[in-house]
């Protein structure tokens, strides 16, 4: 399945560092927001490769959980490859990645679990 084939589906959740979307978006307490960001990153590290390059994750569930991953491209020396015209990093084509499980519900919905 390609990312373009999913355009008609609505993701269960979106984590997007550029747009401030993610498990921390609905939390007003700054300390709790930071805790949720750390928890989301700790969940992502064993489930999503190259988390340092990932700037957007869309979570889906059809027959099994999967995600569409958006990443920045790395150039020589593991540095981000920058587009001089846009002054932004180049982006790779989105990748559809099967997941063993979805993040916990409170991370999907952006709510505190306490």
């Amino acid at each position: 399945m390609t990312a373009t084939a999913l355009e008609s589906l609505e993701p269960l959740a979106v984590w997007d560092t550029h747009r401030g979307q993610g498990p921390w978006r609905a939390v007003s307490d700054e300390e709790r927001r930071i805790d949720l960001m750390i928890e989301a990153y700790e969940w992502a590290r064993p489930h999503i490769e190259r988390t340092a390059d990932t700037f957007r994750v869309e979570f889906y569930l059809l027959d099994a959980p999967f995600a569409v991953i958006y990443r920045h491209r790395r150039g020589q020396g593991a540095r981000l490859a920058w587009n001089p015209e846009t002054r932004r990093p180049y982006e790779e084509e989105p990748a559809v990645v099967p997941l063993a499980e979805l993040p916990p519900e409170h991370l999907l919905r952006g709510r505190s679990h306490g």
Side-chain angles (χ1 to χ4, degrees), residues 20-103:
Q21 296 172 310
W24 50 89
R25 70 182 179 275
V27 180
S28 58
D29 175 24
E30 185 67 25
E31 187 173 314
R32 184 64 189 139
R33 181 177 308 157
I34 291 168
D35 288 347
L36 286 172
M37 289 169 53
I38 292 168
E39 188 178 352
Y41 181 73
E42 288 175 350
W43 181 90
R45 281 188 12 218
H47 293 89
I48 298 171
E49 293 181 16
R50 296 176 46 209
T51 53
D53 299 333
T54 300
F55 64 89
R56 181 180 172 94
V57 182
E58 297 173 352
F59 294 98
Y60 295 88
L61 179 63
L62 289 178
D63 295 329
F66 66 96
V68 178
I69 311 291
Y70 297 80
R71 294 186 178 106
H72 293 296
R73 188 181 337 149
R74 293 281 173 174
Q76 292 181 331
R79 295 188 116 131
L80 285 179
W82 286 85
N83 181 333
E85 292 177 17
T86 64
R87 297 183 183 188
R88 295 181 53 97
Y90 284 107
E91 297 175 5
E92 295 181 358
E93 288 295 317
V96 178
V97 177
L99 298 172
E101 61 185 359
L102 288 169

Side-chain angles (χ1 to χ4, degrees), residues 98-110:
L99 298 172
E101 61 185 359
L102 288 169
E105 180 69 19
H106 67 280
L107 294 179
L108 283 177
R109 300 292 170 220

